[in-house]
Amino acid sequence: MKLKYAFLSFLFSFAGMLCTAQNSFIDGLKDQLSRSSISSSEKFKIYNELTEYYRVSDQYSTAEKYVQQQIELARTEHHYTEEVKALSQKGIIKLNQSEYGQVPAIIDAANTVAQKSRDKTAALYAAYLNIYYSNVLGESENTIKLIQKTLPEVEKYPSEILLNAKLNYLLYGIYAEWNDAKSATQYAQKAIDLAQKSGNKNMLSSAYSAMAVCYSFRYDKTKDLKDLEPVIEMCKKAVSLYHEFPGHVSDYAHALALLNLSNYYLSYPEITPEIRTELQNKTKEILDLTENTTYKQNIQAGALGILSNLATRDHNDALAEQYLLKSEHLLLTQKPIYYHIMISVVNDLAQLYARQQNYQKAYEYQSKLTEYNGLLYDENQVETAKRLEAQYQSQKKEAELLVLNEKADSLKKEKFLYIGLGIIGLIGAFFMFRSYHYKLRYSIEREKKLNTEKHEAEMQVQLQEEEQARLKAEEELLTLQQQKLQSEVLASQLHIQHKNKVLQQLQTQLSDTDINIRQVVKEENRVDQDFEKTTFRIQELHPDFFKHINEKARQKLTPLDLKYCAYLYLGMETKQIANLLNVEPKSVRMTKYRLKKKFGLDENTPLDAFFQGIFPKNSTRLH
């Protein structure tokens, strides 16, 4: 097994039984909680620590128990800030268990309670839950906007330094996923600094591991062992926290740190006796640590994978096979099976049997590999569907909220208008009443004045209606401008992508010393001009292309969906689209299938024919 087991540190989870030092620390907190003399503020602090500890250890049922106790105490004490903190933890626990549908109600409850609190930090924890929700749903850009809006407020409160560290850690995760090493390193360093100040060792362990990932970006590019040293150093810092601060770092975080360090050690082309000894010690520590734990299969499979790697390096296939078979057996005892690790195990077994020329066994495990890949794909599809449904419900709720706010504003304006009219009426009645007691000659003048005031009120209503109509017209104009800009941007993107492809082809052709450079440039300029005419044609013939596409769709189209629609309208084939977007053809086919569903088409109706039926065109097909 090679470094493919390293992703364990980000994907697997287990609920661990605490070691002796941790039991004493946690039991101490529980003992304090049971004392009648303890103050409410101390109880809230203990609830927060216990909930966070069990959550990061994946012991969600225990974490939820303490969250519920914290909510009940907060409601009894009318402590709105602590209630919001507990609701925030409850929402995060639900997200960690992929229970996306239950989270919007918790977010609403947290926002409602935060509005009652005079403590502004309550609103910050409600905002953090919303940020975490957006990040889990994969809305990275929206998550960054929400964090950038919340961070300046969090920084005003030194007592919320841990929350500050968590927000910076989320930013690190997003930029690391985007392979933006510079930004990821910046936010990982901030998370380390803030975690050190907060005293939270679990957060500090995660931050050290994050910095190790940032350093690994450079090593992945250079493959220079000097660049691997800072990665190893950061992993060692994360590992050392467990023994330096007994009970403050969960078994879960420590196991991740051990696996990360061990897997990075396997990056060395040659394993020295010192490193081999340390690897064996680390794997023994992992196995001992999880001996009596529940959900131990994934982490133990990772440790056995390291031992199998060492055996393979020693050309001891029998021992490697033993470790791999034990890993397979362990993974089969866990329900549901963790397919990411299982796929690596059966793949290594298939390769091992192929080396031994045991083709029957190799075929057997190759078949299992195909089966598990299919099950993993199905599992990912279900998870993606759940996230998309949560995104849809969230966007639907935001739209409904926007409509309600607009109605509320409209009712507010109407209320002021009626009050104004009422005041005007009262004033008119007052003058009429007074005019009754004055001389008769003033009655006509008072009546004229009343009519004038009534006319002014009507004019005010008319002016407001005209203003609303003008605002609506401006909004529609802005929408049209945005659609036109979107069309132009898409055309430019297609142009740039085609130019890049031409340059790559030209670079390849230049390697041929017999090529006629002038002829190649002339030919590519002609193709470039044809392509430019083709992409411009969408804007010229159908400037409202995206508007009509969105109207035809039965479900909301994403920007990526619109881009696919444009490619298909231009007549591009699946392979062309895959090359341009740098994805697999099967991903393009899946997107086509999803678009058919969004447009309500059956499987036999081609999308390009559907678009041609909406927007007829002459010879805009790409060649």
Side-chain angles (χ1 to χ4, degrees):
M1 293 184 192
K2 298 183 180 179
L3 281 175
K4 52 189 158 186
Y5 289 99
F7 68 88
L8 274 165
S9 61
F10 302 101
L11 296 176
F12 78 83
S13 62
F14 73 99
M17 181 178 294
L18 305 176
C19 66
T20 303
Q22 288 176 312
N23 274 330
S24 62
F25 175 74
I26 297 301
D27 288 343
L29 292 178
K30 293 178 181 178
D31 182 61
Q32 294 180 48
L33 196 60
S34 63
R35 297 175 187 171
S36 58
S37 59
I38 190 172
S39 64
S40 296
S41 60
E42 291 174 325
K43 284 185 178 180
F44 285 130
K45 183 178 179 181
I46 293 173
Y47 277 133
N48 284 318
E49 289 184 4
L50 288 174
T51 300
E52 181 75 7
Y53 186 89
Y54 284 112
R55 183 185 68 80
V56 299
S57 298
D58 281 9
Q59 300 184 67
Y60 297 123
S61 59
T62 306
E64 286 181 319
K65 180 185 74 173
Y66 287 112
V67 162
Q68 190 59 39
Q69 292 178 9
Q70 182 178 352
I71 291 174
E72 293 172 359
L73 178 61
R75 289 174 178 172
T76 302
E77 299 286 337
H78 299 288
H79 201 312
Y80 299 124
T81 300
E82 289 297 332
E83 185 177 352
V84 173
K85 286 182 180 180
L87 288 170
S88 178
Q89 283 279 29
K90 183 177 181 180
I92 292 172
I93 291 171
K94 296 297 182 184
L95 289 171
N96 291 159
Q97 299 177 88
S98 300
E99 297 178 8
Y100 308 116
Q102 299 185 32
V103 178
I106 299 175
I107 292 176
D108 291 340
N111 289 331
T112 300
V113 176
Q115 291 176 357
K116 299 178 183 178
S117 177
R118 295 181 180 178
D119 186 357
K120 293 184 178 180
T121 59
L124 298 179
Y125 279 93
Y128 176 67
L129 175 57
N130 192 41
I131 290 169
Y132 200 97
Y133 180 60
S134 176
N135 187 55
V136 170
L137 293 184
E139 300 173 351
S140 301
E141 293 182 358
N142 184 52
T143 302
I144 291 176
K145 291 179 182 178
L146 293 174
I147 293 177
Q148 290 174 341
K149 180 180 178 181
T150 306
L151 258 182
E153 296 300 319
V154 175
E155 291 171 350
K156 295 178 183 178
Y157 299 91
S159 61
E160 301 304 328
I161 192 169
L162 180 58
L163 180 58
N164 195 346
K166 290 180 178 179
L167 291 173
N168 278 279
Y169 186 82
L170 287 177
L171 286 172
Y172 143 77
I174 293 172
Y175 285 107
E177 186 177 354
W178 289 349
N179 291 322
D180 186 343
K182 181 179 180 181
S183 298
T185 303
Q186 173 188 346
Y187 290 112
Q189 185 60 55
K190 286 185 179 180
I192 290 175
D193 296 339
L194 293 167
Q196 288 174 334
K197 293 179 182 178
S198 72
N200 188 294
K201 306 308 176 186
N202 272 316
M203 184 69 239
L204 183 57
S205 177
S206 298
Y208 280 144
S209 297
M211 185 59 76
V213 173
C214 294
Y215 287 153
S216 70
F217 285 137
R218 180 174 179 82
Y219 170 72
D220 290 339
K221 290 181 179 180
T222 65
K223 296 301 179 182
D224 188 342
L225 294 180
K226 291 182 180 179
D227 294 326
L228 184 60
E229 294 304 323
V231 180
I232 300 292
E233 186 63 29
M234 277 296 163
C235 289
K236 286 182 176 180
K237 286 186 177 182
V239 168
S240 65
L241 292 174
Y242 184 80
H243 302 289
E244 290 178 16
F245 304 95
H248 291 266
V249 179
S250 69
D251 287 351
Y252 174 80
H254 183 53
L256 292 183
L258 287 171
L259 277 176
N260 279 336
L261 177 58
S262 299
N263 277 293
Y264 281 123
Y265 271 137
L266 294 179
S267 298
Y268 287 107
E270 294 183 7
I271 303 298
T272 64
E274 293 79 9
I275 294 178
R276 178 181 290 273
T277 300
E278 188 165 357
L279 279 171
Q280 291 172 339
N281 291 337
K282 299 303 181 191
T283 52
K284 183 178 185 303
E285 184 177 357
I286 292 172
L287 294 172
D288 291 343
L289 185 68
T290 58
E291 179 64 28
N292 298 314
T293 63
T294 56
Y295 301 107
K296 63 185 179 181
Q297 292 88 338
N298 293 325
I299 189 170
Q300 288 195 339
L304 291 170
I306 294 170
L307 295 175
S308 173
N309 185 288
L310 293 176
T312 301
R313 287 171 181 258
D314 294 336
H315 304 289
N316 190 343
D317 285 350
L319 184 58
E321 178 187 9
Q322 179 183 344
Y323 287 132
L324 289 171
L325 290 174
K326 188 174 181 180
S327 296
E328 181 188 21
H329 175 74
L330 277 172
L331 292 171
L332 287 172
T333 61
Q334 179 176 326
K335 300 297 181 182
I337 296 174
Y338 196 78
Y339 294 117
H340 291 90
I341 307 301
M342 181 61 84
I343 287 171
S344 295
V345 170
V346 298
N347 182 60
D348 284 348
L349 280 168
Q351 292 179 5
L352 183 146
Y353 288 127
R355 288 197 306 270
Q356 295 177 344
Q357 297 184 353
N358 187 344
Y359 298 116
Q360 182 177 355
K361 282 285 188 181
Y363 175 77
E364 176 186 342
Y365 279 96
Q366 191 64 38
S367 299
K368 288 184 179 181
L369 178 62
T370 302
E371 177 186 355
Y372 288 132
N373 274 315
L375 292 171
L376 177 60
Y377 175 79
D378 294 340
E379 187 179 81
N380 289 337
Q381 288 295 97
V382 171
E383 185 71 11
T384 300
K386 289 170 66 176
R387 291 187 179 182
L388 290 174
E389 176 63 21
Q391 286 179 339
Y392 169 74
Q393 294 297 336
S394 177
Q395 293 170 356
K396 181 180 178 181
K397 184 177 179 181
E398 289 178 0
E400 291 174 351
L401 183 61
L402 181 61
V403 172
L404 289 175
N405 288 336
E406 291 176 351
K407 287 183 178 179
D409 292 339
S410 178
L411 290 174
K412 188 176 181 180
K413 291 179 180 179
E414 290 181 4
K415 182 179 178 180
F416 285 136
L417 177 60
Y418 291 144
I419 291 174
L421 290 173
I423 293 173
I424 292 173
L426 288 173
I427 294 174
F430 173 74
F431 280 109
M432 288 178 66
F433 178 76
R434 289 193 62 183
S435 67
Y436 178 77
H437 296 86
Y438 290 126
K439 295 180 181 181
L440 196 56
R441 59 181 178 172
Y442 294 110
S443 61
I444 298 176
E445 295 178 0
R446 300 299 182 188
E447 185 176 356
K448 288 182 178 180
K449 184 176 181 180
L450 180 61
N451 290 334
T452 301
E453 291 172 349
K454 184 178 180 180
H455 178 69
E456 290 176 353
E458 293 174 348
M459 289 294 295
Q460 184 178 1
V461 173
Q462 183 178 356
L463 288 173
Q464 289 179 347
E465 292 176 348
E466 292 176 353
E467 179 65 15
Q468 291 177 353
R470 184 182 66 80
L471 291 175
K472 183 177 181 181
E474 290 179 352
E475 183 179 356
E476 292 176 350
L477 178 59
L478 180 59
T479 301
L480 290 174
Q481 291 175 342
Q482 289 175 339
Q483 291 174 348
K484 182 178 180 182
L485 180 60
Q486 188 176 18
S487 298
E488 293 174 352
V489 169
L490 176 59
S492 296
Q493 288 177 339
L494 294 174
H495 189 119
I496 291 171
Q497 290 168 351
H498 179 73
K499 290 281 289 182
N500 288 338
K501 182 175 179 182
V502 169
L503 289 174
Q504 291 173 357
Q505 293 174 348
L506 184 58
Q507 184 177 5
T508 303
Q509 292 172 348
L510 284 175
S511 64
D512 187 351
T513 57
D514 296 330
I515 195 72
N516 190 325
I517 301 301
R518 294 178 179 271
Q519 183 63 27
V520 170
V521 171
K522 182 178 179 181
E523 180 181 347
E524 296 301 342
N525 284 334
R526 178 183 59 77
V527 173
D528 183 47
Q529 292 170 3
D530 292 342
F531 182 82
E532 187 173 276
K533 292 177 182 178
T534 301
T535 54
F536 179 78
R537 193 157 191 176
I538 295 181
Q539 302 173 70
E540 183 180 15
L541 296 180
H542 306 293
D544 53 352
F545 175 82
F546 294 99
K547 177 181 177 183
H548 289 319
I549 285 294
N550 276 306
E551 290 174 351
K552 290 291 183 179
R554 297 184 181 180
Q555 300 180 31
K556 182 174 178 62
L557 297 176
T558 66
L560 183 58
D561 289 337
L562 293 174
K563 192 171 184 179
Y564 269 95
C565 291
Y567 283 140
L568 294 170
Y569 176 70
L570 291 175
M572 297 182 70
E573 300 295 337
T574 297
K575 186 175 181 181
Q576 288 179 286
I577 298 174
N579 289 335
L580 286 175
L581 296 181
N582 196 23
V583 298
E584 294 293 333
K586 66 177 182 180
S587 176
V588 178
R589 288 192 288 272
M590 286 299 299
T591 302
K592 286 184 176 181
Y593 175 79
R594 179 168 56 80
L595 286 174
K596 287 183 179 181
K597 292 296 183 182
K598 288 192 174 184
F599 286 108
L601 304 177
D602 58 45
E603 296 181 357
N604 297 323
T605 302
L607 280 171
D608 53 353
F610 171 68
F611 293 141
Q612 292 297 323
I614 302 174
F615 305 100
K617 57 186 178 66
N618 298 320
S619 302
T620 60
R621 190 174 187 86
L622 283 176
H623 297 282

